[in-house]
Amino acid sequence: MGTNAVADRHRTHGALAGISRVRLLEALRAGDRPLDARELAAVSGLHISTVRFHLEILSDAGLVKRHRERTRRRGRPRLLYVPASAGGETGSPPRGYEFLAAVLARYWGGSAEERARRAEQAGRAVAREQGLAPPPSGHPTVAESAATVSGLFAELGFDPEPAAAEGEWQIRLHACPFRAVAVEHPEVACSLHLGLLQGALAELGTPAAASSLAPFVEPQVCVARIRSEETDPPPARQRATTASGRSSG
């Protein structure tokens, strides 16, 4: 790879290193028309000067394109921005490990049912490898198990929120790190995550079972449901704290 190509790659990665620039790029991809800096500031909550600064970096990296608005109105025409690539309904194209996951999911042979079954088995196997340890009592409550499992999902980047609702424990997963793959191949990605949940509960020895994992109940939220087998359901609106210390109050 030539020096110029390496420099281009470094510039692209650097442009995406800031979360604010990623948010601006996602806003452009989600829009149905070009946007100017003022509109992007309103969408992102950033100051317009900050938006212009980030747009300059994204433009230099080749991630957005800009052009002057064609108008007959008086005054200087607006500078409009569009993403260099549309990215589809799920955002930017898969990269790195997500790209590999997408390829593996697409070409994993067998029927949808067979693929789902193997993915669940793989998830349970991965859970066994995590070495999750039950509490000293050896008899974790459902709440303790939900918190521990949430910690595992937090390490994987799911931004989990455990809570008691409707007679069961739920873990709301606010950020699937493999969302693009899950949208295209839920029988693989979502079944893998369900198997991971089931396997983690089994390793903890908790009197609970994962009853389901509902993908995308909201545009960015999946919900894992855990039912109690040996204990009474927790009181409504009770909140658990994840292993990372976050409380969903």
Side-chain angles (χ1 to χ4, degrees):
M1 182 180 295
T3 302
N4 291 338
V6 172
D8 289 342
R9 287 173 63 87
H10 285 174
R11 185 162 55 248
T12 299
H13 292 315
L16 290 175
I19 186 63
S20 294
R21 290 193 283 274
V22 173
R23 285 164 54 194
L24 291 174
L25 189 57
E26 289 177 346
L28 286 172
R29 284 176 170 152
D32 56 0
R33 61 179 177 81
L35 301 175
D36 64 13
R38 191 173 301 279
E39 292 170 317
L40 286 167
V43 171
S44 65
L46 300 172
H47 191 275
I48 188 170
S49 298
T50 303
V51 169
R52 288 184 175 128
F53 169 76
H54 290 315
L55 287 173
E56 189 72 22
I57 294 176
L58 290 170
S59 179
D60 290 344
L63 295 171
V64 302
K65 297 179 180 179
R66 56 190 174 188
H67 63 271
R68 290 288 178 185
E69 180 184 31
R70 294 182 179 180
T71 179
R72 294 182 178 179
R73 293 179 300 179
R74 293 182 178 180
R76 189 176 183 181
R78 294 186 303 161
L79 190 60
L80 300 175
Y81 296 85
V82 295
S85 61
E89 64 176 1
T90 59
S92 59
R95 299 173 182 269
Y97 285 109
E98 190 175 10
F99 172 75
L100 175 61
V103 172
L104 293 176
R106 181 180 304 167
Y107 294 102
W108 200 349
S111 66
E113 292 77 10
E114 292 170 337
R115 288 147 61 93
R117 184 175 63 254
R118 292 201 304 272
E120 282 189 29
Q121 292 172 346
R124 286 191 287 269
V126 170
R128 288 194 296 269
E129 296 171 357
Q130 299 305 306
L132 296 177
S137 66
H139 300 285
T141 65
V142 178
E144 289 173 332
S145 298
T148 301
V149 172
S150 292
L152 173 61
F153 275 90
E155 292 177 6
L156 296 174
F158 283 87
D159 190 14
E161 176 191 356
E166 300 177 358
E168 66 182 5
W169 278 95
Q170 295 183 0
I171 302 178
R172 294 175 62 84
L173 306 172
H174 292 273
C176 177
F178 292 95
R179 185 178 188 278
V181 182
V183 169
E184 292 293 329
H185 306 284
E187 78 283 2
V188 175
C190 299
S191 296
L192 175 66
H193 299 150
L194 175 60
L196 180 65
L197 176 64
Q198 293 172 332
L201 292 170
E203 289 300 302
L204 290 170
T206 184
S211 57
S212 67
L213 192 154
F216 308 125
V217 296
E218 299 173 19
Q220 300 292 336
V221 179
C222 303
V223 175
R225 293 182 169 87
I226 306 173
R227 68 175 183 271
S228 172
E229 290 185 338
E230 297 182 3
T231 60
D232 294 330
R237 301 185 62 83
Q238 182 178 348
R239 293 294 184 264
T241 303
T242 66
S244 61
R246 169 187 169 183
S247 178
S248 57

